[in-house]
Amino acid sequence: MKSLFLIALSIGLILASPFSSFAASSLRLSMLPHYSLDEIEKRVRPLAKYLSYTTGIQIEPIIVTDFKEYEQRLARDIDIGFENPLVYVRSPHQAVAVISKKPDGSKFRGLIITRTDSPIVAVNELVGKHIAIVSNTSAGGYLSQRISLLQEGIDTNKDMILEVALNNKQENVIFSTYNGDVDAGFIRESALHAADAFVPRSQIKVIKKTAYLPEWVISVRRDLPEKTKDAIRNALINLKRNDPILQALQIDSFEKVEDKNFNAIRRAVGVSVSSE
C-alpha cells in the first residue's frame, strides 16, 4: 500500500512540474519543406545539434515532406518550427526569432512582373487578367503582392485569375510570363534573375515592388516554459556572423521579433490580429 502511495506521489510531482510536457522526451525541430529533403537535412541538423548543446535539451530534427503535413504537425507535434511568415500566422506557435540575410536584412518583398512588350503598366490593369503565382502559401510570390493590391482596392482572389506555377518554382512564374501563358507574374524580389540563363533580362519588366514582409521565423509551442523559449531565443540571437550554423542555414543572423510585426499578414489572410 505504501509503495502505491509513493508511486502516485511521484506521478503527481512529475505532472506538476513545469517541464513535464517535454522532460521525458526530446523537442522536435522541423523546417517547412521549401527545399529538397537533402537540403533541409543539411540546414536543420547542425541547428538541432547546436540548440541541444546550448540549451541542455535534446533537440531532434524531423524532416517533413509535404507543406500540408508540416502545417498540421505544427499544431500537433512539432515543438520548434522554421517556416515562412504566412505559414507561421496560421499556426498556434509563437515566434522567437526571425532570420536576417543580405540585402534586405530581416524583411523581404515581392515583385509584379510582365513581359517588357506588355501593354500593362499599372496594377489596376491587372483586374481580370491571368496571373502566375508561386503558390497560395508563398510569401514573396503571392502574399506580398496581395497585401499591396488590397491597399489599392484590388482583391487577388476576386479580381484576377490566379494560376499556380509548376512545382511552385519562382523561375516557372518567369517562364510563364515570358512565354505569354499569363499576363503577369508574382515573384520574390530576390528571384528576379532566377531564370536569366533562359529568359533575356531585357524581356521582363517590373511594374510594382510590393509590401515588405518579415523573413522566415523560428517558432515554438506556446505552452513551452518561458525559460525554454528564452534559452532557444538567446541561443539563436547569440550566433555570430559567419558561424558554421548560420552558413549551413545560408543566412547572416537571427534577430528578435515581435508577434505584432506579422499583423499585416494576418489581415491579408483573415487571421485574428495579435496584440503581443
Side-chain angles (χ1 to χ4, degrees):
M1 194 70 173
K2 184 177 179 180
S3 60
L4 289 176
F5 171 77
L6 290 174
I7 291 171
L9 178 61
S10 298
I11 292 172
L13 289 172
I14 291 170
L15 292 175
S17 166
F19 295 95
S20 62
S21 62
F22 66 89
S25 62
S26 61
L27 294 181
R28 293 163 293 275
L29 165 69
S30 192
M31 182 179 190
L32 184 72
H34 182 71
Y35 305 100
S36 69
L37 301 187
D38 287 344
E39 181 64 25
I40 293 172
E41 175 81 13
K42 289 177 185 176
R43 294 189 184 214
V44 300
R45 189 163 292 280
L47 179 62
K49 288 176 119 180
Y50 167 72
L51 289 176
S52 296
Y53 175 77
T54 53
T55 65
I57 303 166
Q58 184 62 37
I59 310 294
E60 178 187 356
I62 301 294
I63 308 300
V64 178
T65 60
D66 176 78
F67 272 58
K68 185 176 181 180
E69 180 191 357
Y70 179 87
E71 290 201 67
Q72 291 171 342
R73 292 188 65 173
L74 272 181
R76 190 174 72 243
D77 66 347
I78 292 175
D79 305 295
I80 306 170
F82 190 9
E83 61 271 341
N84 72 33
L86 176 57
V87 171
Y88 166 66
V89 301
R90 297 195 304 210
S91 80
H93 272 212
Q94 175 183 347
V96 293
V98 63
I99 71 169
S100 177
K101 57 184 180 180
K102 296 177 181 178
D104 294 320
S106 59
K107 64 185 188 303
F108 66 98
R109 64 184 174 184
L111 302 174
I112 300 176
I113 61 171
T114 64
R115 278 182 60 98
T116 299
D117 59 4
S118 169
I120 297 173
V121 295
V123 294
N124 65 301
E125 296 172 317
L126 297 173
V127 174
K129 298 295 195 295
H130 289 258
I131 311 295
I133 66 173
V134 177
S135 76
N136 290 311
T137 60
S138 172
Y142 177 64
L143 188 59
S144 170
Q145 293 84 351
R146 175 168 170 76
I147 290 172
S148 289
L149 290 171
L150 283 172
Q151 292 170 350
E152 302 272 352
I154 301 170
D155 188 330
T156 54
N157 293 330
K158 299 176 182 177
D159 298 329
M160 51 191 62
I161 303 160
L162 302 179
E163 301 185 11
V164 176
L166 180 66
N167 296 325
N168 306 125
K169 298 293 186 183
Q170 304 267 356
E171 53 266 38
N172 287 336
V173 172
I174 300 172
F175 292 148
S176 293
T177 303
Y178 172 65
N179 291 333
D181 300 327
V182 294
D183 300 296
F186 294 173
I187 60 170
R188 181 170 169 145
E189 185 174 26
S190 61
L192 179 60
H193 300 298
D196 279 1
F198 308 98
V199 177
R201 289 191 182 190
S202 62
Q203 296 306 303
I204 296 293
K205 69 180 178 182
V206 176
I207 64 170
K208 188 173 181 65
K209 297 178 179 180
T210 53
Y212 274 110
L213 302 176
E215 264 287 3
W216 275 49
V217 184
I218 296 286
S219 66
V220 297
R221 280 190 5 238
R222 289 182 181 271
D223 63 347
L224 289 182
E226 290 302 319
K227 286 176 65 175
T228 303
K229 296 176 187 177
D230 288 342
I232 294 169
R233 181 186 296 109
N234 292 336
L236 296 170
I237 293 170
N238 288 338
L239 284 165
K240 305 301 183 185
R241 190 176 296 270
N242 296 323
D243 187 284
I245 307 300
L246 297 175
Q247 291 178 339
L249 292 168
Q250 299 185 28
I251 65 174
D252 294 319
S253 65
F254 284 101
E255 297 181 4
K256 292 181 180 179
V257 65
E258 295 184 5
D259 198 51
K260 63 184 180 182
N261 292 359
F262 300 90
N263 281 342
I265 302 174
R266 291 186 172 98
R267 293 187 188 98
V269 298
V271 175
S272 297
V273 172
S274 171
S275 59
E276 294 180 12

